[in-house]
């Protein structure tokens, strides 16, 4: 591997100075942090620093209270190394950690304490050793070995963790996991993690009904993921679902509000709340809103806004009652709640309203009352899974909705 230079080298110091001197003269860092014990402090001062063939800008050290105790070594590094690097104003990619010297415990602690920050590790080995090849490296036979960014390997596990979080509808946590990887992996690994973060952010925004913003993020991720899927088959189902979802978003955003696509989207959102998060209060609240949207869409097709219903559009048998019950005393507008909207539609001959009332007494009334008595509505009772399931089935039946009409977010298997 070609010679490497780093702004900072964090180096553990053990029983022999030669490998440390070799590493420092090879890398020529501007800043040096020595990880030492009481026994090796003298070696640092009398052997290593005088053996340098260049002048570093600054050096400092961290001393472990006990070189044989992992907790003591790790604790000292975690306490003193971050402020030291901050003082020197160096970023993780400018740091290399050399764990050649010191006790095995010191080396292990150094790796553990820096794996969240460092992008490179080095170790001084050699072609010839004492004691028949099992002792220390002979002077003049040293060779510096580099372990490229360990996060390129660690991130594979982090990516799986992000996928698990995404599949549980924990979009913000998944995004944070991927963002951490973007900051730490090597440059050639960053595009994929950045694209996956765009994807997760897009679906997270969609889950908040921020459709237009979601579309921007999802389109940014589509082309890169499509290119990746050519070589990596595990990405192909994701890309196919992403294309379907984008088509749905395009149709939703191109249409009026309300539209049947908002109804389908509310159903999809409710299903995620119930199946992935077991938040049945939230799920049922979305189903209730979905029923309202169905009524609003039907009324809109008849030229009626449920928040401002013209009195003359109300059939005569209902008009007097509706004017008395639903006309706002301040602005005079007639605003219809869910049940009244379907009564108006029924009076105007709506087929969907007919199906709504055919199911109302037998199936819808009890679950809607359960929703109304929930703590997110007007009462203090929890909503059970059974309430969601009953309302879900009744909505699909009276709205004649098919499963393929409801958008589904992808399952990440990356």
């Amino acid at each position: 591997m070609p010679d490497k230079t780093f702004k900072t080298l964090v180096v553990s110091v053990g029983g022999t100075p030669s490998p440390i001197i070799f590493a420092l003269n090879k890398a020529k860092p501007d800043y040096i942090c020595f990880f030492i014990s009481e026994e090796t402090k003298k070696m640092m001062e009398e052997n290593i620093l005088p053996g340098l063939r260049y002048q570093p800008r600054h050096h400092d050290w961290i001393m472990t209270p006990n070189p044989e105790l992992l907790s003591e070594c790790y604790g000292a590094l975690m306490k003193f190394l971050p402020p030291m690097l901050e003082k020197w104003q160096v970023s993780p990619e400018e740091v290399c950690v050399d764990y050649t010297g010191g006790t095995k415990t010191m080396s292990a602690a150094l790796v553990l304490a820096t794996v969240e920050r460092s992008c490179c590790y080095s170790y001084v080995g050699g072609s010839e050793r004492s004691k028949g090849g099992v002792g220390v490296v002979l002077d003049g036979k040293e060779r510096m070995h580099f372990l490229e960014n360990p996060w390129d390997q660690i991130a594979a596990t982090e990516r799986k963790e992000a996928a698990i979080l995404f599949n549980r509808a924990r979009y913000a946590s998944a995004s944070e996991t991927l963002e951490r990887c973007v900051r730490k992996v090597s440059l050639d690994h960053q595009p994929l993690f950045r694209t996956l973060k765009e994807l997760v952010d897009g679906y997270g925004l969609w889950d908040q009904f921020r459709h237009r913003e979601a579309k921007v993020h999802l389109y940014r991720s589509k082309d890169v993921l499509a290119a990746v899927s050519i070589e990596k088959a595990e990405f192909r189902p994701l890309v196919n679902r992403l294309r379907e979802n984008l088509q749905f978003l395009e149709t939703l955003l191109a249409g009026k509000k309300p539209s049947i696509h908002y109804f389908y989207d509310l159903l999809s959102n409710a299903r995620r709340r119930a199946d992935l998060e077991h938040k049945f209060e939230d799920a049922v609240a979305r189903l209730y809103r979905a029923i309202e949207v169905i009524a609003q869409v039907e009324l809109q097709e008849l030229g009626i806004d449920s928040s401002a219903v013209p009195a003359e559009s109300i059939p005569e048998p209902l008009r007097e009652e509706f004017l008395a019950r639903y006309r706002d005393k301040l602005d005079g507008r007639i605003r219809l709640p869910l049940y009244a909207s379907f009564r108006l539609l029924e009076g105007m001959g709506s087929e969907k309203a007919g199906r709504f009332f055919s199911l109302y007494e037998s199936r819808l009334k009890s679950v809607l009352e359960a929703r109304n008595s929930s703590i997110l509505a007007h009462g203090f009772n929890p909503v059970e899974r059974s309430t969601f399931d009953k309302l879900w089935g009744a909505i699909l039946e009276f709205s004649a909705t098919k499963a393929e009409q409801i958008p589904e977010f992808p399952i990440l298997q990356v």
Side-chain angles (χ1 to χ4, degrees):
M1 179 173 287
D3 291 349
K4 286 181 173 284
T5 58
F6 298 93
K7 190 171 183 179
T8 301
L9 196 68
V10 182
V11 56
S12 55
V13 180
T16 177
S18 297
I20 311 304
I21 296 171
F22 174 82
L24 292 170
N25 284 328
K26 194 78 169 175
K28 294 183 175 62
D30 293 333
Y31 301 96
I32 306 169
C33 172
F34 295 101
F35 182 40
I36 62 174
S37 63
E38 183 67 44
E39 293 76 18
T40 58
K41 185 174 187 293
K42 186 176 181 181
M43 180 190 298
M44 174 193 73
E45 296 171 335
E46 297 183 0
N47 299 95
I48 297 175
L49 289 172
L52 299 183
R53 298 194 300 271
Y54 81 106
Q55 183 62 47
R57 183 178 300 178
H58 192 75
H59 76 272
D60 208 336
W61 64 85
I62 296 171
M63 184 180 293
T64 175
N66 190 326
E68 302 300 335
L69 289 180
L70 185 63
S71 59
E72 297 282 357
C73 294
Y74 180 80
L77 287 162
M78 293 301 293
K79 182 177 181 179
F80 297 110
L81 184 58
M84 186 181 296
L85 297 179
E86 185 177 349
K87 179 181 68 176
W88 292 340
Q89 297 183 334
V90 294
S91 58
E93 60 270 16
E94 296 174 310
V95 177
C96 187
V97 175
D98 189 291
Y99 56 94
T100 306
T103 63
K104 290 182 174 63
T105 301
M106 289 174 66
S107 296
L110 186 55
V111 172
L112 287 173
T114 56
V115 72
E116 287 291 322
R117 299 174 178 84
S118 179
C119 289
C120 181
Y121 289 85
S122 66
Y123 177 82
V124 177
S127 56
E128 294 184 35
R129 291 177 176 268
S130 63
K131 299 181 182 179
V134 296
V136 298
V137 176
L138 297 177
D139 291 351
K141 300 297 182 180
E142 297 92 350
R143 183 179 178 186
M144 201 165 183
H145 301 278
F146 290 95
L147 168 64
E148 291 295 342
N149 188 351
W151 267 92
D152 293 346
Q153 302 299 321
I154 296 171
T157 301
E158 293 285 294
R159 194 169 80 188
K160 291 178 182 177
E161 176 65 22
I164 291 170
L165 291 167
F166 178 90
N167 294 336
R168 293 175 180 171
R170 295 174 60 184
Y171 306 110
S173 297
S175 178
E176 289 172 5
T177 300
L178 292 167
E179 173 63 28
R180 183 165 65 248
C181 293
V182 169
R183 294 196 306 266
K184 294 177 180 179
V185 297
S186 302
L187 287 175
D188 56 340
H189 287 74
Q190 288 178 9
L192 176 59
F193 284 96
R194 193 172 288 114
T195 298
L196 288 172
K197 184 181 183 302
E198 287 277 11
L199 180 88
V200 169
D201 288 344
Y203 280 109
L205 289 164
W206 187 345
D207 199 54
Q208 300 172 45
F209 304 106
R210 294 162 64 180
H211 301 109
R212 201 167 297 280
E213 295 170 75
K215 188 182 80 167
V216 172
H217 285 271
L218 294 179
Y219 265 113
R220 284 176 185 164
S221 67
K222 180 175 71 73
D223 290 341
V224 175
L225 291 173
V228 171
S229 70
I230 294 173
E231 295 185 2
K232 298 185 177 182
E234 64 268 27
F235 282 84
R236 290 170 194 167
L238 169 61
V239 172
N240 291 336
R241 180 56 54 84
L242 175 57
R243 286 173 175 152
E244 293 173 9
N245 290 161
L246 280 168
Q247 186 175 8
F248 178 91
L249 269 184
E250 289 283 9
T251 305
L252 180 145
L253 290 168
K256 296 180 180 179
K257 295 179 182 179
S259 75
I260 194 63
H261 286 83
Y262 283 93
F263 168 73
Y264 296 146
D265 191 47
L266 280 161
L267 293 184
S268 177
N269 197 296
R271 176 61 82 181
R272 290 193 295 277
R273 302 288 78 75
D275 291 351
L276 305 183
E277 297 184 304
H278 297 167
K279 293 181 178 178
F280 303 116
E281 292 272 1
D282 292 340
V284 167
R286 284 154 173 76
L287 292 184
Y288 189 91
R289 175 64 184 129
I291 299 173
E292 287 183 323
V293 169
I294 279 285
Q296 289 173 344
V297 170
E298 287 277 302
L299 288 171
Q300 181 181 261
E301 291 175 356
L302 298 170
I304 299 172
D305 181 349
S306 64
S307 65
V309 179
E312 62 274 14
S313 68
I314 303 173
E316 192 60 45
L318 299 173
R319 188 174 302 167
E320 184 177 349
E321 176 194 350
F322 275 36
L323 290 176
R325 296 183 64 178
Y326 305 121
R327 172 176 272 172
D328 192 294
K329 293 180 180 179
L330 294 177
D331 60 17
R333 286 190 172 192
I334 301 170
R335 294 180 172 87
L336 301 183
L338 183 148
Y339 189 80
S341 294
F342 278 104
R343 285 186 65 199
L344 175 58
L345 285 167
E346 184 185 39
M348 302 175 79
S350 165
E351 183 180 336
K352 274 198 178 103
R355 290 199 296 269
F356 174 85
F357 285 109
S358 69
L359 291 171
Y360 185 76
E361 289 296 332
S362 62
R363 295 172 61 184
L364 279 170
K365 185 178 180 180
S366 62
V367 291
L368 289 177
E369 287 175 348
R371 175 265 171 191
N372 288 332
S373 65
S374 74
I375 198 165
L376 293 184
H378 311 297
F380 295 93
N381 298 322
V383 173
E384 304 294 341
R385 173 86 207 201
S386 59
T387 300
F388 170 82
D389 289 338
K390 289 175 185 176
L391 188 54
W392 176 268
I395 289 174
L396 294 191
E397 185 172 338
F398 95 78
S399 65
T401 299
K402 298 177 181 178
E404 58 267 24
Q405 293 173 301
I406 304 171
E408 288 188 38
F409 283 10
I411 296 174
L412 287 190
Q413 296 177 319
V414 295

